[in-house]
Amino acid sequence: MPQHVAIVMDGNGRWARQRRRPRSFGHRAGQKTVRSTIESCLRRGIGALTLFAFSSENWQRPQAEVGALMQLFLKALDREVDELHGHGVRIRFIGELAAFALPLRERMHKAMERTRDNGKLALNIAVNYGGRWDIAQAARQAAQAVGRGELAAAAIDERSLARFFCLADLAPVDLFIRTGGERRVSNFLLWQLAYSELVFSDVLWPDYDDACFVRALEEFSGRERRYGKTSAQVSKA
Ligand code: FPP
């Protein structure tokens, strides 16, 4: 069983178009899948789930769609936080939150504050997030630490840099899932995906049910994770 699953939830727009409905209809349907995926993780004892809800590139979408997504996030926060808190879910938003309007930002901070001591499932929602942004902000933090004299420039290596990345306190992402048929990472977690198993599904996100999730888990458990070693070395260990 993976300890940390990250998902690019793709295909809401196409799902809506197939039904001749606006794209926001697909995002609303996608929200139900978010719910069922959280339940699937809770049931199976998966410790961390990271969802790509809004990329730094998504601002370029039509204004009406961006507005509808913001409304959806606001309503979801108002409606779901109590229940998630009751289930022991710790909610965290990762990304450049300063770009969001104040009411949304306040609710995000409240939800994080309220659930910060929960330990059953770490739910990370990437909003206005980009993997390259994460690398840049980690580098900036390291440079600031050097400036304060807390870190020697010569001591910057993979280990000392790792702690400045989003999600550094969690288990590494071992399973990455992308729905909706595309086979790319699209500037989601870059540093964090170094040794993740990548699983792609053609199913559109609103249709991605527990059975689909179980298939991804099975595919994951069938993979041999070698971390650069040979197959013989790994099977001996
Ligand atoms: C990608 O599908 C989906 C998004 C950009 C938004 C994801 C948002 C949700 C699932 C809504 C609820 C989320 C939370 C955390 C409350 P797409 O629009 O790119 O689909 P397409 O590729 O078919 O056009």
Side-chain angles (χ1 to χ4, degrees), residues 9 12 27 38 55 60-61 66-67 77 106 126 129 153 234:
M9 313 178 282
N12 295 344
H27 296 315
I38 294 169
S55 77
Q60 299 167 48
R61 292 192 173 199
V66 173
L77 277 167
E106 277 175 357
Y129 176 90
V234 172

Side-chain angles (χ1 to χ4, degrees), residues 1 20 33 42 46 58 69 71 92 151 154 170 173 183 186 191 221 224 227:
M1 199 58 83
R20 301 181 197 286
T33 309
L42 282 167
I46 293 170
N58 285 154
L69 272 170
Q71 281 307 312
R92 199 185 317 180
L151 178 67
L170 299 175
V173 175
R183 266 77 176 149
S186 296
W191 173 276
S221 67
E224 183 183 65
Y227 299 99

